[in-house]
């Protein structure tokens, strides 16, 4: 088959005048772990719900292996889903919960029993089959929900912020389990989250949603190294922005003059970067060098705050144009020693590590 | 805890007073009646000169008492079934439907709880006389149904509101059709609400007396009505016996329902 | 929304049926009675041959009706004040106190809600005869107080449970003494619960008829009792007028309470 | 005055057999920002509640400027407190909330008005005085609570996880505000949190609580660089632990043999590190170097997982003794390029950056 496994074709969802999802277009390969990342209200969950059939798109189509899904009602789509909230059936035991989709499909009892114990083993909850959901922790409940969603071997598994109700430690533990289960089963996963770290940890590719649209799709490294919009740069990783103006442009690069006249040459640009345009120059806090003495080609600034954060030190500095720059120094870095608020410092950076957005 | 019960004598004193008050004017009369029902004096002398089961024998020997209990049970049973079924459907619409006038409709269904019963009884009486339902079993059931529905709708609506709709969605994605999901997942999950609705509906009809007096005919009397009309003629210890049995039945039913609820919630 | 009201014809149909049923057996009789109260026929002919305010004139001209309304108001007022004060103290103890028997005590206070009213009435009657409270104003108030307390305790306990104790702690750390904190912070914060308790307590007493009939004496009659006893003699349009006024008062009070509650919650 | 400003003297709190706080002893200087850091149930909040007078200690004493506080009831201690939950008085406007402590103290109206507007300005909520609490966001409510607690110039301000109900972004914003307010007012702050990053960001000193006791008190850098117990090492920053045995010990340092015979010399030790004792060797993930080719004095391991996390890359490796080691490489580090699960790697570290706990 030459067509992609799952195709989202121009999906749009409107409520009256409000556009929740704006012509989203995306292809997903078989076995891929694709994450929809974005702030709340960016349309990522709505897109997932449309895939699940729990909402209907205003226009557009969803194709699975080349056939449209929209004609099929939710309960016949054969798609697995894990919800943000705990959705175990409260009156059924863990085993009966996992057996539910198989019972509905009228599978023979022997097959059901075998599948249930295999699914519970997959999520490492063997021996919990007789436990009632109310007696389990949130993390265990979401693992059972995962087992239930995988019990009928769905071609696609949807996950709608399944870990958002859990605390950080448990979240990381279950992220690891999800990654393992993805590798073991090879199921295609569409995962919704607003947590960039979770997205980076889990995904093959990430689609960054903003205001109902996909801003950029790519691997975590791609999105971090080559953000195409300011929104993506802000959402993935930490970033500093300085105001500047294009002096000379061409070939996807531009020379940029900052507020106090400081020139940065040959910065890769995104957007229409004609001369004279105002741009935002993006720097990554950990790619900025900090010097205690003046250096050529570096930006003068004053330290406003120094915070030690375990494995690194955050320095907040203010440039001569009163713009705030965050710098991250690794633990034990010599220039962090004795640094304190009010110190004069000079900031250096490689223009090729910066990006300019119009 | 700022309010440590043992440290604040004043609180304790107040609570003891309220407890005494409620016990005095609620429990004592009931115990008093229960004692009289076993007392050997026909003139309700307290403390009774001796103990006897005679009044209970009289009660069970009189077919009119048994008949009225049977009418009570039939009416209350019919009211319970209708109240739970209609309450479930109304609650589903009120909780999940999005339509104009939803709040007004909810208020309409709850109104019988706050209207003066005596007015409702008078109005139903006059109205039923006119439309020919007066003194019929159907009229009886419908009148009590209107009184029972608010309890049923409140119990089931509360249970539905506490039930996360996502669970039903999850069942549907698991392959259950919407109706299958409701039957196999939603209904069992709100079973404690349905059960409470049934118990309340039954008790509302079983214990109700004002409307019942107006609905009753000589051949169609519920137990409370029978107690009432007998009392009009004579304050006999048989009434004390009937009252005691009615209280025991009611309290027993409530205790049973508590136990079942706990079991349902596990 | 899986349940889209407009898409599911079957649901809509069910809801329409239930609405029709409730309207038919609840609203229609009330409207019917209201219409009769303005009808010119003495024999309650429907539709009335003409319209008149005569029955209302008769009602207000008769000192016995006015007197019974005054008795109702006095009893209900006394019950309301006592019920809110005692309900608040009981709720504070039940919600915050940590002592054995707390659950049992709560159950005791709630019991009057579920006991058959007719039995309670019979028992109170017999008991009051014996202790000499029969036919007195104090007896009347105490009997209704026992009926009203559960509503008061439930309303206030709910409000207290929804009130975060940390807010009171914060007031104390701000420098308010424990009693000052309760008066200036806790009481205003649960004012909607106190208000609901007052409204319910008032209505329970104001609308109650069964216990009232047993408590009443020829000189101490509440409005519902007056309607009842008049009805025993004759079904006159004056009763329809009194019933209509009672419903208007009740509904008006409920609407007022809803408005005040919204204002309190802002 | 030679005595410290605030002294916690042997405070103990017992419920029946359960000891919630076990003889806690701590001195706090005037104007200090002291944080109680620990997991839930470690006794940090109970200690705070005892300071506030909302709980009574079983034994011990609290001295403020040398005088005991325990005789004074809560409402006369004149201590400010911000709670974990939102505790604004719901029926009073923001201005009336802030005025409450002054009204209770029967201050003249003019003084109240002036103080309220100054306090609201301090938390940057000028113009919100007439707003009702229910109409404000959680972050705003906690800022009002802060203004209310500071309105009467308390010598000590207690804060019991005031930001735990807020999301991450808002939390960081208000942390910054709290730090600023601490600097502006000079009030002594006792702050309870379970979030190590929050503690590091805000505090002058941190007291790490564990099972009702203080394990260690110090600045963030001290705790990170010189953890005195394994618990502190685990709680502050990320850490790896390898099992080992002491071969030779002396002078606070020990030579340690790891499971597969690998020797680490002159590791600083804590606890009673006699020869033959089993110890846990602690390494910080960012102080481990990773090599793709064998090197002398480095530990062989196999990569199990590589996760790109924006500004750095996490590598999970397994040693020959099947122990898990996490390594953190900065973004763009050459040895991260092309690294994947299954690769053989060698781990190097400076023994002086390691610590051994018995």
């Amino acid at each position: 088959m030459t067509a992609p496994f799952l195709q989202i074709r121009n999906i749009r969802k409107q409520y009256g005048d409000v556009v929740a999802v704006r012509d989203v277009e995306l292809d997903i390969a078989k076995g891929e772990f694709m994450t929809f990342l974005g702030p709340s209200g960016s349309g990522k969950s709505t897109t997932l719900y449309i895939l699940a059939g729990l909402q209907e798109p205003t226009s557009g189509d969803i194709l699975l292996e080349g056939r449209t899904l929209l004609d099929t009602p939710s309960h016949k789509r054969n798609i697995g889903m894990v919800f943000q909230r705990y959705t175990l059936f409260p009156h059924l035991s863990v085993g009966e919960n996992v057996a539910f989709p198989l019972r509905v499909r009228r599978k023979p009892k022997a097959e059901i029993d075998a599948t249930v114990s295999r699914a519970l083993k997959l999520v490492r909850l063997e021996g919990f089959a007789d436990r009632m959901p109310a007696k389990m922790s949130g993390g265990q409940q979401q693992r059972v929900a995962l087992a239930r969603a995988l019990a009928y071997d769905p071609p696609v598994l949807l996950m709608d912020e399944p870990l958002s109700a859990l605390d950080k430690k448990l979240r990381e533990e279950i992220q690891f389990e999800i990654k393992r289960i993805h590798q073991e089963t090879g199921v295609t996963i569409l995962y919704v989250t607003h947590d960039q770290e979770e997205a980076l940890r889990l995904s093959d590719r990430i689609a960054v949603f903003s205001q109902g649209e996909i801003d950029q799709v790519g691997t975590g490294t791609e999105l971090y190294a080559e953000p195409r919009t300011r929104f993506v740069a802000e959402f993935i990783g930490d970033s500093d922005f300085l105001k500047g103006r294009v002096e000379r442009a061409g070939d996807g690069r531009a020379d940029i003059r900052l507020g106090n006249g400081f020139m940065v040459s040959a910065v890769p640009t995104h957007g229409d970067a004609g001369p004279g345009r105002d741009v935002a120059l993006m720097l990554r806090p950990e790619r900025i060098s900090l010097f205690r003495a003046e250096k050529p080609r570096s930006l003068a600034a004053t330290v406003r705050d120094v915070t030690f954060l375990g494995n690194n030190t955050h320095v907040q500095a203010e440039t001569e144009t009163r713009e705030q720059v965050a710098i991250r120094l690794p633990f034990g870095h010599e220039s962090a020693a004795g640094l304190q608020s009010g110190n004069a410092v000079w900031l250096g950076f490689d223009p090729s590590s910066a990006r300019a957005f119009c | 805890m700022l309010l440590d019960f043992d440290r604040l004598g004043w609180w304790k004193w107040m609570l003891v007073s309220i407890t005494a008050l409620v016990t005095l004017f609620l429990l004592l009369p009931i115990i008093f009646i229960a004692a009289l029902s076993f007392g050997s004096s026909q003139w309700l002398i307290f403390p009774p000169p001796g103990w006897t089961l005679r009044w209970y024998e009289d009660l069970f020997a009189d077919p009119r008492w048994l008949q009225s209990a049977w009418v009570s049970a039939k009416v209350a049973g019919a009211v319970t079934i209708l109240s739970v079924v209609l309450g479930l459907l109304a609650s589903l619409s009120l909780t999940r439907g999005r339509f104009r006038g939803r709040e007004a409709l909810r208020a309409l269904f709850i109104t019988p709880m706050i209207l003066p019963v005596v007015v409702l009884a008078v109005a139903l009486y006059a109205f039923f006389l006119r439309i020919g339902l007066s003194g019929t079993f159907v009229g009886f059931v419908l009148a009590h149904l209107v009184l029972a529905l608010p309890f049923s709708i409140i119990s089931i609506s509360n249970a539905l509101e506490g039930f996360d709709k996502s669970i039903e969605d999850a069942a549907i994605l698991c392959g259950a059709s919407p109706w299958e999901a409701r039957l196999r997942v939603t209904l069992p999950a709100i079973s404690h609400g349905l059960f409470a609705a049934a118990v309340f509906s039954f008790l509302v009809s079983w214990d109700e007396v004002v409307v019942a007096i107006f609905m009753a005919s000589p051949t169609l009397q519920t137990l409370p009505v029978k107690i009432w009309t007998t009392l009009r003629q004579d304050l006999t210890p048989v009434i004390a016996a009937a009252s005691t049995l009615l209280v025991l039945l009611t309290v027993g039913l409530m205790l049973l329902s508590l136990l079942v609820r706990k079991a349902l919630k596990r």
Side-chain angles (χ1 to χ4, degrees), chain A residues 56-69:
Chain A
E56 282 181 18
T58 310
S59 63
D61 201 358
I62 308 273
L63 304 175
L64 182 66
E65 296 185 313
R67 277 185 305 271
T68 181
L69 266 183

PDB file of all heavy atoms in Angstrom, chain A residues 56-69:
ATOM      1  N   GLU A  56     -18.003  15.197  15.639  1.00  0.00           N
ATOM      2  CA  GLU A  56     -18.009  15.162  14.177  1.00  0.00           C
ATOM      3  C   GLU A  56     -17.337  16.409  13.632  1.00  0.00           C
ATOM      4  O   GLU A  56     -17.581  17.504  14.106  1.00  0.00           O
ATOM      5  CB  GLU A  56     -19.457  15.097  13.669  1.00  0.00           C
ATOM      6  CG  GLU A  56     -20.021  13.693  13.790  1.00  0.00           C
ATOM      7  CD  GLU A  56     -21.444  13.613  13.280  1.00  0.00           C
ATOM      8  OE1 GLU A  56     -21.858  14.513  12.539  1.00  0.00           O
ATOM      9  OE2 GLU A  56     -22.125  12.647  13.626  1.00  0.00           O
ATOM     10  N   PRO A  57     -16.474  16.242  12.615  1.00  0.00           N
ATOM     11  CA  PRO A  57     -15.836  17.422  12.042  1.00  0.00           C
ATOM     12  C   PRO A  57     -16.847  18.231  11.221  1.00  0.00           C
ATOM     13  O   PRO A  57     -17.816  17.672  10.695  1.00  0.00           O
ATOM     14  CB  PRO A  57     -14.754  16.835  11.154  1.00  0.00           C
ATOM     15  CG  PRO A  57     -15.271  15.494  10.772  1.00  0.00           C
ATOM     16  CD  PRO A  57     -16.089  15.000  11.937  1.00  0.00           C
ATOM     17  N   THR A  58     -16.619  19.532  11.124  1.00  0.00           N
ATOM     18  CA  THR A  58     -17.449  20.361  10.262  1.00  0.00           C
ATOM     19  C   THR A  58     -17.145  20.026   8.807  1.00  0.00           C
ATOM     20  O   THR A  58     -18.044  19.936   7.971  1.00  0.00           O
ATOM     21  CB  THR A  58     -17.154  21.850  10.537  1.00  0.00           C
ATOM     22  OG1 THR A  58     -17.232  22.059  11.949  1.00  0.00           O
ATOM     23  CG2 THR A  58     -18.142  22.737   9.845  1.00  0.00           C
ATOM     24  N   SER A  59     -15.865  19.840   8.506  1.00  0.00           N
ATOM     25  CA  SER A  59     -15.508  19.394   7.154  1.00  0.00           C
ATOM     26  C   SER A  59     -14.200  18.639   7.254  1.00  0.00           C
ATOM     27  O   SER A  59     -13.555  18.612   8.307  1.00  0.00           O
ATOM     28  CB  SER A  59     -15.372  20.594   6.216  1.00  0.00           C
ATOM     29  OG  SER A  59     -14.322  21.422   6.652  1.00  0.00           O
ATOM     30  N   GLY A  60     -13.792  18.002   6.146  1.00  0.00           N
ATOM     31  CA  GLY A  60     -12.558  17.242   6.144  1.00  0.00           C
ATOM     32  C   GLY A  60     -12.841  15.752   6.244  1.00  0.00           C
ATOM     33  O   GLY A  60     -14.005  15.333   6.318  1.00  0.00           O
ATOM     34  N   ASP A  61     -11.777  14.976   6.231  1.00  0.00           N
ATOM     35  CA  ASP A  61     -11.956  13.520   6.214  1.00  0.00           C
ATOM     36  C   ASP A  61     -10.820  12.864   7.004  1.00  0.00           C
ATOM     37  O   ASP A  61      -9.758  13.460   7.202  1.00  0.00           O
ATOM     38  CB  ASP A  61     -11.946  13.019   4.766  1.00  0.00           C
ATOM     39  CG  ASP A  61     -12.615  11.648   4.646  1.00  0.00           C
ATOM     40  OD1 ASP A  61     -13.037  11.106   5.693  1.00  0.00           O
ATOM     41  OD2 ASP A  61     -12.713  11.132   3.530  1.00  0.00           O
ATOM     42  N   ILE A  62     -11.090  11.653   7.487  1.00  0.00           N
ATOM     43  CA  ILE A  62     -10.074  10.845   8.143  1.00  0.00           C
ATOM     44  C   ILE A  62      -9.996   9.538   7.361  1.00  0.00           C
ATOM     45  O   ILE A  62     -11.025   8.875   7.165  1.00  0.00           O
ATOM     46  CB  ILE A  62     -10.494  10.496   9.590  1.00  0.00           C
ATOM     47  CG1 ILE A  62     -10.901  11.724  10.384  1.00  0.00           C
ATOM     48  CG2 ILE A  62      -9.413   9.699  10.279  1.00  0.00           C
ATOM     49  CD1 ILE A  62      -9.806  12.440  11.073  1.00  0.00           C
ATOM     50  N   LEU A  63      -8.809   9.172   6.924  1.00  0.00           N
ATOM     51  CA  LEU A  63      -8.666   7.920   6.186  1.00  0.00           C
ATOM     52  C   LEU A  63      -7.770   6.965   6.957  1.00  0.00           C
ATOM     53  O   LEU A  63      -6.674   7.343   7.375  1.00  0.00           O
ATOM     54  CB  LEU A  63      -8.046   8.185   4.813  1.00  0.00           C
ATOM     55  CG  LEU A  63      -8.755   9.186   3.896  1.00  0.00           C
ATOM     56  CD1 LEU A  63      -7.956   9.417   2.632  1.00  0.00           C
ATOM     57  CD2 LEU A  63     -10.163   8.697   3.556  1.00  0.00           C
ATOM     58  N   LEU A  64      -8.248   5.731   7.139  1.00  0.00           N
ATOM     59  CA  LEU A  64      -7.416   4.694   7.743  1.00  0.00           C
ATOM     60  C   LEU A  64      -7.162   3.655   6.664  1.00  0.00           C
ATOM     61  O   LEU A  64      -8.108   3.084   6.112  1.00  0.00           O
ATOM     62  CB  LEU A  64      -8.117   4.075   8.952  1.00  0.00           C
ATOM     63  CG  LEU A  64      -7.331   2.995   9.699  1.00  0.00           C
ATOM     64  CD1 LEU A  64      -6.098   3.571  10.364  1.00  0.00           C
ATOM     65  CD2 LEU A  64      -8.217   2.332  10.748  1.00  0.00           C
ATOM     66  N   GLU A  65      -5.913   3.447   6.337  1.00  0.00           N
ATOM     67  CA  GLU A  65      -5.544   2.562   5.232  1.00  0.00           C
ATOM     68  C   GLU A  65      -6.357   2.894   3.990  1.00  0.00           C
ATOM     69  O   GLU A  65      -6.864   2.008   3.292  1.00  0.00           O
ATOM     70  CB  GLU A  65      -5.743   1.104   5.643  1.00  0.00           C
ATOM     71  CG  GLU A  65      -4.802   0.735   6.785  1.00  0.00           C
ATOM     72  CD  GLU A  65      -4.870  -0.732   7.156  1.00  0.00           C
ATOM     73  OE1 GLU A  65      -5.991  -1.238   7.287  1.00  0.00           O
ATOM     74  OE2 GLU A  65      -3.797  -1.354   7.289  1.00  0.00           O
ATOM     75  N   GLY A  66      -6.505   4.183   3.730  1.00  0.00           N
ATOM     76  CA  GLY A  66      -7.139   4.638   2.503  1.00  0.00           C
ATOM     77  C   GLY A  66      -8.650   4.696   2.535  1.00  0.00           C
ATOM     78  O   GLY A  66      -9.279   5.236   1.635  1.00  0.00           O
ATOM     79  N   ARG A  67      -9.293   4.147   3.584  1.00  0.00           N
ATOM     80  CA  ARG A  67     -10.763   4.192   3.651  1.00  0.00           C
ATOM     81  C   ARG A  67     -11.212   5.204   4.691  1.00  0.00           C
ATOM     82  O   ARG A  67     -10.625   5.299   5.763  1.00  0.00           O
ATOM     83  CB  ARG A  67     -11.312   2.813   4.001  1.00  0.00           C
ATOM     84  CG  ARG A  67     -11.439   1.878   2.807  1.00  0.00           C
ATOM     85  CD  ARG A  67     -12.092   0.570   3.211  1.00  0.00           C
ATOM     86  NE  ARG A  67     -11.370  -0.054   4.311  1.00  0.00           N
ATOM     87  CZ  ARG A  67     -10.339  -0.904   4.151  1.00  0.00           C
ATOM     88  NH1 ARG A  67      -9.946  -1.227   2.946  1.00  0.00           N
ATOM     89  NH2 ARG A  67      -9.743  -1.423   5.190  1.00  0.00           N
ATOM     90  N   THR A  68     -12.287   5.906   4.384  1.00  0.00           N
ATOM     91  CA  THR A  68     -12.740   6.937   5.307  1.00  0.00           C
ATOM     92  C   THR A  68     -13.291   6.308   6.580  1.00  0.00           C
ATOM     93  O   THR A  68     -13.906   5.239   6.561  1.00  0.00           O
ATOM     94  CB  THR A  68     -13.810   7.839   4.676  1.00  0.00           C
ATOM     95  OG1 THR A  68     -14.180   8.831   5.634  1.00  0.00           O
ATOM     96  CG2 THR A  68     -15.051   7.052   4.294  1.00  0.00           C
ATOM     97  N   LEU A  69     -13.049   6.965   7.705  1.00  0.00           N
ATOM     98  CA  LEU A  69     -13.547   6.477   9.005  1.00  0.00           C
ATOM     99  C   LEU A  69     -14.855   7.158   9.376  1.00  0.00           C
ATOM    100  O   LEU A  69     -15.575   6.694  10.262  1.00  0.00           O
ATOM    101  CB  LEU A  69     -12.527   6.794  10.103  1.00  0.00           C
ATOM    102  CG  LEU A  69     -11.502   5.764  10.490  1.00  0.00           C
ATOM    103  CD1 LEU A  69     -10.674   6.292  11.646  1.00  0.00           C
ATOM    104  CD2 LEU A  69     -12.174   4.443  10.893  1.00  0.00           C
TER     105      LEU A  69
END
